[in-house]
Amino acid sequence: MVILITGASSGIGLASALFLKNQGHKVYGTSRKASMGETRNDIVYLKMDITQEKSIKEAIDFLILKEEKIDVLVNNAGIGMVGSVEDSSVNEMQEHFDTNYYGAVRVMQEVLPHMRNRSHGKIINISSLAGLFGLPYRGVYSAAKAAFNLLTESMRMELLKFNIHAVVLCPGDFKTKIKTSRIRVKKGETSIYKEEYNKVYDLLNEELHSSGDPIEVGKLIQKIVKKKS
């Protein structure tokens, strides 16, 4: 199968891409820093910025030209954000949603016509446990993931008549480098919440050391890919 994984240069995306490639699939990964069509570890990378519609279209057009289809889309690209809701500016929230929510929407809207033309496809959206309940100092992240979960649930029902299945996965913590890419709200250093926030943030990073191997997400994706429904 031809599988497209967004945000496949590290973490869950990379681990899943390598595992699925070893299962015999043709895997394409996306990265903002990749050259279009470059190959690493038998994974073909597409240059894609999920906040830019033109970038997404160019990447999907390149893939379709090569393979003529996309069997599975794994929406994995995203960023972390930490800070109190009070300290989070509306602009910071909008930028976060632009990647973690609207970015995935843009990719799905570009891929879906190709899946509908073949009456075949699976969309696997990588969300988070944080989307199932609110977490302190990750409220904006939780909100974006919660919206992502419900959007996927609605799409699942809309797409069934086209034989396209939409699934959402909500992983907990895994050993990744997410702590190096989390956005910390600008007011955090002068915040009234600073002391408690720093304790929670340190605990969050410590938990990553004892977290699971992200390949487990890849294994679950493989199970879903093999299911008929």
Side-chain angles (χ1 to χ4, degrees), residues 3-221:
I3 300 177
L4 172 63
I5 304 177
T6 65
S9 60
S10 62
I12 287 174
L14 177 58
S16 298
L18 292 172
F19 178 80
L20 293 166
K21 181 264 297 182
N22 289 332
Q23 298 302 305
H25 301 292
K26 186 67 177 289
V27 179
Y28 285 77
T30 77
S31 171
R32 288 176 298 175
K33 298 178 181 179
S35 298
M36 195 72 82
E38 72 172 281
T39 301
R40 307 178 213 155
N41 300 314
D42 292 330
I43 298 167
V44 182
Y45 278 87
L46 308 175
K47 182 178 179 62
M48 182 191 289
D49 181 343
I50 63 171
T51 67
Q52 302 294 325
E53 291 182 6
K54 181 181 177 183
S55 174
I56 295 168
K57 186 178 188 309
E58 288 174 350
I60 300 303
D61 286 349
F62 182 93
L63 193 164
I64 293 297
L65 187 64
K66 289 280 187 180
E67 303 292 341
E68 298 184 343
K69 65 175 185 175
I70 300 173
D71 294 303
V72 181
L73 166 64
V74 180
N75 259 320
N76 169 73
I79 54 177
M81 179 173 171
V82 288
S84 74
V85 175
E86 183 179 348
D87 291 323
S88 303
S89 70
V90 171
N91 283 341
E92 287 172 322
M93 293 181 183
Q94 288 174 332
E95 288 178 6
H96 183 76
F97 266 76
D98 197 33
T99 297
N100 279 24
Y101 179 79
Y102 291 111
V105 171
R106 293 184 187 101
V107 177
M108 288 188 289
Q109 289 180 338
E110 191 65 41
V111 167
L112 275 171
H114 299 289
M115 289 185 171
R116 278 192 294 98
N117 287 341
R118 298 178 61 242
S119 296
H120 170 79
K122 284 190 173 77
I123 294 176
I124 302 173
N125 288 333
I126 308 298
S127 180
S128 169
L129 276 179
L132 301 179
F133 42 79
L135 295 174
Y137 305 106
R138 286 200 283 176
V140 178
Y141 180 80
S142 286
K145 292 300 186 182
F148 196 27
N149 292 352
L150 290 181
L151 182 83
T152 307
E153 185 174 339
S154 296
M155 287 180 60
R156 182 187 68 80
M157 294 180 279
E158 294 171 357
L159 296 173
L160 281 175
K161 65 181 179 180
F162 301 112
N163 194 36
I164 299 171
H165 298 272
V167 181
V168 65
L169 302 186
C170 295
D173 287 334
F174 284 92
K175 289 180 182 177
T176 68
K177 296 181 180 179
I178 189 171
K179 70 178 182 180
T180 63
S181 60
R182 284 195 189 105
I183 295 172
R184 302 180 69 164
V185 300
K186 293 178 181 177
K187 286 186 178 179
E189 290 304 311
T190 58
S191 173
I192 191 70
Y193 303 95
K194 182 177 179 180
E195 184 177 349
E196 185 180 45
Y197 160 73
N198 284 335
K199 289 179 181 177
V200 172
Y201 187 71
D202 290 342
L203 179 62
L204 188 64
N205 289 334
E206 287 173 12
E207 287 175 347
L208 288 176
H209 298 301
S210 57
S211 298
D213 189 328
I215 197 173
E216 297 301 324
V217 181
K219 291 178 180 178
L220 183 53
I221 291 172

